[in-house]
Amino acid sequence: MSSTRRTLLAAGLAAAGTVALGAAAPALAQTRRKLRFGVGPLLPTAEDTRKAYMPFFAHLAKELNADFELFATTDWAGMAVAMGAGQLDLAWMGPWGYIIANNSTGCTALATVKYDEKPFYHAIVIGRPDLKVTKFPIDTKGLRMSFADVGSTSGWLVPTWYAKEVWKIDPKTHWKYTEGATHAANEMAVQAGQADMATDFDRNRNAMIESGRVKPGSNKILWTSAPLPNDAIVVPKGTSQAVIDQIQKIVTAITVEQAKTLLPAHYTGFVKADHAAYASIEKAGIAVGKIKAKA
């Protein structure tokens, strides 16, 4: 997201003139406020994301006896800026987006979403179906590789960390490297032959195949990461423990049956979480030099 877009997002959020969730905690059940919720670039467009996640945030606001506004950002950095500026009361963030925001603002994860009843997923690298790859990434030197936005866990952080710490390569010289694409764009680029390989995550690939946007045989998985924690529900620094406990109770009470109407396909509820649940993501961020270790 450009600095201009971030400024516009900040202005829009500030214009809401709402009361922060943490500040309203003592009278949570007695007063009705307008809460500011945010969701990152989880689907191809911000409007797609907003529509898909609106039922969940509407449910949360109802349980908190509040009105709400929902803002969908086009990159994770914009979410961190908004959270740091005190313009969001709660956000649904990707793991790396959360760690970026936590490192700069001190915001806190309180729950992790379950996907098909699992609180984890995997980063993947997909490739053209005709590629002959016996050993990844050695056999792919010189091919066209598309990484996702630098705020993406599976599309940038994790493969960058693997390249540095495990594969011992420089991705920008080992491949004909580009970065900054959305996950959907990466899938489409490989299918269209515009890239030989691209980063993604297993949940997104499966969803795009199910929706018909990607043909099952249009790519193959060349590499799969170790399990990674799913998306986080995040509140700003200073949010009281009473409010954190209340939100945890609301989201973890969502049943598999309720999730069918409140959450996008395959999401089945939440488990309690805290910052420690995302320690592996934080470690990777420090290793690749994108964040600094806390004193």
Side-chain angles (χ1 to χ4, degrees):
M1 182 186 290
S2 68
S3 59
T4 299
R5 283 189 176 183
R6 291 192 187 110
T7 300
L8 289 173
L9 172 65
L13 289 168
T18 56
V19 179
L21 184 64
L28 198 58
Q30 289 76 33
T31 61
R32 191 169 186 89
R33 305 154 317 286
K34 179 176 283 187
L35 299 176
R36 303 157 298 179
F37 296 147
V39 59
L42 297 169
L43 293 175
T45 71
E47 187 56 27
D48 288 342
T49 301
R50 191 173 184 278
K51 288 180 180 178
Y53 289 80
M54 179 67 77
F56 164 72
F57 288 103
H59 171 76
L60 179 59
K62 181 180 179 181
E63 292 296 309
L64 291 170
N65 188 37
D67 297 317
F68 74 101
E69 289 183 280
L70 177 58
F71 301 90
T73 63
T74 55
D75 73 8
W76 297 111
M79 183 75 78
V81 169
M83 183 68 76
Q87 296 158 349
L88 288 175
D89 297 308
L90 179 143
W92 183 311
M93 294 185 171
W96 177 222
Y98 160 61
I99 290 298
I100 292 172
N102 168 268
N103 193 256
S104 61
T105 75
C107 60
T108 303
L110 58 79
T112 297
V113 71
K114 294 185 293 183
Y115 191 91
D116 289 337
E117 285 296 271
K118 298 175 182 177
F120 60 84
Y121 71 112
H122 301 86
I124 59 175
V125 170
I126 61 171
R128 297 194 336 261
D130 60 321
L131 289 181
K132 305 298 182 183
V133 178
T134 302
K135 188 173 182 180
F136 184 88
I138 303 304
D139 297 343
T140 63
K141 184 175 177 63
L143 296 179
R144 297 169 298 168
M145 167 68 86
S146 176
F147 271 41
D149 178 85
V150 296
S152 168
T153 310
S154 58
W156 189 89
L157 174 68
V158 171
T160 298
W161 181 84
Y162 268 84
K164 176 182 173 64
E165 301 292 333
V166 180
W167 302 328
K168 306 298 183 183
I169 63 170
D170 179 351
K172 294 183 179 181
T173 58
H174 187 79
W175 296 303
K176 294 176 182 176
Y177 176 94
T178 59
E179 63 182 34
T182 65
H183 288 278
N186 269 350
E187 287 281 342
M188 300 301 287
V190 172
Q191 177 171 261
Q194 297 167 345
D196 299 311
M197 301 175 297
T199 59
D200 196 10
F201 58 106
D202 52 2
R203 298 189 332 234
N204 184 64
R205 181 175 183 267
N206 293 340
M208 291 189 72
I209 290 173
E210 284 182 6
S211 69
R213 297 189 67 202
V214 171
K215 297 177 181 178
S218 67
N219 67 54
K220 61 183 178 181
I221 298 174
L222 303 177
W223 168 81
T224 301
S225 75
L228 306 169
N230 277 339
D231 304 339
I233 301 299
V234 181
V235 290
K237 181 180 180 179
T239 301
S240 72
Q241 188 59 49
V243 171
I244 290 173
D245 291 344
Q246 184 175 16
I247 295 172
Q248 284 180 327
K249 183 177 180 180
I250 292 168
V251 299
T252 58
I254 294 173
T255 65
V256 173
E257 194 62 30
Q258 285 179 303
K260 292 177 182 178
T261 57
L262 295 179
L263 299 171
H266 292 284
Y267 287 114
T268 52
F270 296 86
V271 296
K272 287 184 180 181
D274 56 20
H275 185 70
Y278 295 86
S280 62
I281 308 301
E282 186 171 51
K283 179 181 177 180
I286 294 168
V288 302
K290 284 295 183 180
I291 58 173
K292 294 182 179 179
K294 295 176 182 178

